[in-house]
Amino acid sequence: MSRSAVFLDEMGVGPLWRLRQGAAPEAVDVVADAAVDAEVAVAPPVVEAIESVTAVVTEVVVQVQTEAPAAVAATPVPVAAPDDTAWFDDAPPPPPARQLSDTDIAALDWEGLAAAVAKCARCDLCKTRKGVVMGRGDRQGAWLMLASSPSRLEEREGRALPGEQGKLLDNMLKAIDVDAGGDVYITHLLKCRPLDEAGQERLPTEAESAACRPYFERELALLQPRTIVTLGSMAAAGINPGEKPVRGKVRQLGNASLIATFHPEMLLQDETGKAKARAWADLCLAKSTHGG
């Protein structure tokens, strides 16, 4: 055992701390020399010698750690996997929404009815439509304006009778003192636009009309209008299947009076003015029947 080790052992300090790698021999010698000087100087008490040696050892350790920091192994960063969405193409399609029965539809409120129409798949029109067209206007209105099925413009805008058609209808109603913005509801018998294989508009089939009929009947039950004005020959024929519509005559649908007239789109194309004159007579008949 070295002299330094014996000296420290006598004082109860224990073995010297040594670095395993990269230890500077000069640092150990400094500790040893300091211990020898403390032995030669015999004057200080043992306690002071322990404090002195401890301070020297601490200073050397701090200096060694500062000059030779331990290397820290870098944690490898995982490489992000490429965005692969090929699985999406192979994923099974989501299950179709549960279709409501006629009884279910008959119990819907306005919001539920609109939601059901938006996701309806009761007939094949859901495969070709670009959108559905729900009715618009006053849901407590006494007047119901009824067309057959949406046009291309209505399908694109998702609104019944937009643009020039709607403006003309508003003016027609204003002429008989009916508030088009506050007492009128406008809708279609069908909520989707029927198209043939070439993408052209066509008449709805009986199956398509029957599939969509519960939606119209629910609108009618919620609205409870006093007067219904059908717009165009298809709407006049479709509202009471099997009954031949006659212009200039008042029919009944439940408690509502039913009057047929021309569709605003046809009136916009009328260059002679004859159709507009007849439409005016139809509206006057509807107003007198409605009363008020």
Side-chain angles (χ1 to χ4, degrees), residues 36-132:
V36 171
D37 292 341
E39 181 184 14
V40 174
V42 186
V46 176
V47 176
E48 293 181 1
I50 293 175
E51 294 177 351
S52 176
V53 172
T54 303
V56 172
V57 172
T58 302
E59 180 179 357
V60 172
V61 170
V62 172
Q63 181 178 359
V64 171
Q65 290 178 342
T66 304
E67 293 179 355
V72 179
T75 303
V77 179
V79 180
D83 185 13
D84 185 7
T85 57
W87 62 269
F88 184 80
D89 297 331
D90 299 330
R98 185 182 73 87
Q99 295 305 306
L100 301 179
S101 66
D102 294 359
T103 303
D104 293 332
I105 295 174
L108 296 174
D109 58 11
W110 283 110
E111 287 70 25
L113 182 61
V117 168
K119 60 184 180 182
C120 177
R122 289 169 60 92
C123 73
D124 289 341
L125 290 182
C126 66
K127 301 177 182 178
T128 58
R129 72 189 180 203
K130 298 297 187 296
V132 299

Side-chain angles (χ1 to χ4, degrees), residues 225-248:
R226 288 173 55 189
T227 304
I228 303 173
V229 177
T230 58
L231 307 175
S233 59
M234 288 189 294
I239 193 170
N240 272 334
E243 180 183 342
K244 184 178 179 180
V246 179
R247 281 191 51 261

Side-chain angles (χ1 to χ4, degrees), residues 273-285:
K274 294 181 179 179
K276 293 178 181 176
R278 293 172 182 171
W280 171 248
D282 296 335
L283 291 178
C284 290
L285 175 61

Side-chain angles (χ1 to χ4, degrees), residues 6-29:
V6 173
F7 179 76
L8 294 174
D9 185 62
E10 289 293 332
M11 293 192 298
V13 174
L16 288 175
W17 177 83
R18 299 178 183 274
L19 293 176
R20 293 184 178 181
Q21 296 178 352
E26 293 80 5
V28 178
D29 291 340

Side-chain angles (χ1 to χ4, degrees), residues 170-185:
D170 290 350
N171 291 334
M172 292 166 61
L173 293 172
K174 186 183 296 183
I176 58 172
D177 295 324
V178 174
D179 182 8
D183 199 27
V184 177
Y185 184 80

